[in-house]
């Protein structure tokens, strides 16, 4: 999604304000904190229905390694709570590698739980794929906007 310290900080800030979820058809309140144990709701529109799916942040990890160029990462994961259409977890991370490149990653494992999710599982997978693509685009856009006109910092 970018290169250098400024890009990493912009990507981390995007995760912390849930910018990767602000897609018009998928949302999390941007004032929701990112800390272990936080309970939140993802609202999403699939076809003509709005869903509200409860989650809890189950992991928060931030690291900074010293090297010729510091590698840094920020990640969190949330798990599905009772009332969610699926069961499983999803993690989001941004990482600045030793070469200075900044990466955004989503890892999801889930299976349908609610009868509608079971019956329409191919549609569920379609929306998960759509979310991944649009979330990555939102992250790249946020980094571009925050670093426009600046050279990558070392």
């Amino acid at each position: 999604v970018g290169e250098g310290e400024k890009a990493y900080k912009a990507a981390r800030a995007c995760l912390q304000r849930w910018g990767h979820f602000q897609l018009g058809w998928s949302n999390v309140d941007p004032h929701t904190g990112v800390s272990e144990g936080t309970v939140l709701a993802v609202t999403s529109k699939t076809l003509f229905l709005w869903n509200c799916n409860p989650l809890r942040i189950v992991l928060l990890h931030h690291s900074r390694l010293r090297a010729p160029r510091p590698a840094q990462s920020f990640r969190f994961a949330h798990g599905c709570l009772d009332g969610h259409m699926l069961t499983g977890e999803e993690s989001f991370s941004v990482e600045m590698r030793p070469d200075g490149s900044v990466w955004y990653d989503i890892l999801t494992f889930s299976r349908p739980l609610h009868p509608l999710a079971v019956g329409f599982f191919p549609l569920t997978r379609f929306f998960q794929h759509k979310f991944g693509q649009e979330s990555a685009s939102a992250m790249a856009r946020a980094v571009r906007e925050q670093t426009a006109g600046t050279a990558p910092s070392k």
Side-chain angles (χ1 to χ4, degrees):
V1 294
E3 186 174 332
E5 183 79 21
K6 288 180 183 177
Y8 171 74
K9 287 181 178 178
R12 185 181 67 202
C14 182
L15 279 184
Q16 290 172 320
R17 71 174 179 277
W18 298 92
H20 58 299
F21 265 92
Q22 309 309 324
L23 306 177
W25 62 273
S26 178
N27 299 288
V28 171
D29 180 348
H31 299 102
T32 302
V34 177
S35 58
E36 234 173 282
T38 298
V39 175
L40 62 127
V42 171
T43 56
S44 60
K45 185 176 184 182
T46 52
L47 300 178
F48 56 90
L49 296 174
W50 278 96
N51 300 300
C52 183
N53 289 305
L55 301 159
R56 179 185 320 273
I57 297 178
V58 296
L59 171 77
L60 177 65
H61 180 76
H62 185 216
S63 68
R64 182 179 177 104
L65 304 174
R66 302 269 181 231
R69 173 179 262 171
Q72 301 179 62
S73 68
F74 176 81
R75 71 192 65 215
F76 67 90
H78 52 63
C80 301
L81 295 175
D82 286 343
H84 198 292
M85 300 285 279
L86 306 173
T87 183
E89 292 184 7
E90 189 167 42
S91 71
F92 303 92
S93 66
V94 293
E95 174 184 27
M96 184 172 74
R97 296 183 179 168
D99 69 357
S101 61
V102 178
W103 295 81
Y104 171 56
D105 190 44
I106 304 170
L107 175 64
T108 303
F109 63 90
S110 64
R111 61 183 171 90
L113 184 63
H114 188 278
L116 284 175
V118 172
F120 292 98
F121 195 60
L123 188 61
T124 300
R125 284 291 186 229
F126 167 81
F127 278 103
Q128 285 178 322
H129 183 73
K130 175 183 168 99
F131 172 80
Q133 290 180 320
E134 291 184 21
S135 179
S137 294
M139 176 62 72
R141 187 171 44 257
V143 170
R144 268 195 320 274
E145 289 171 0
Q146 293 297 310
T147 60
T150 62
S153 57
K154 305 293 179 186

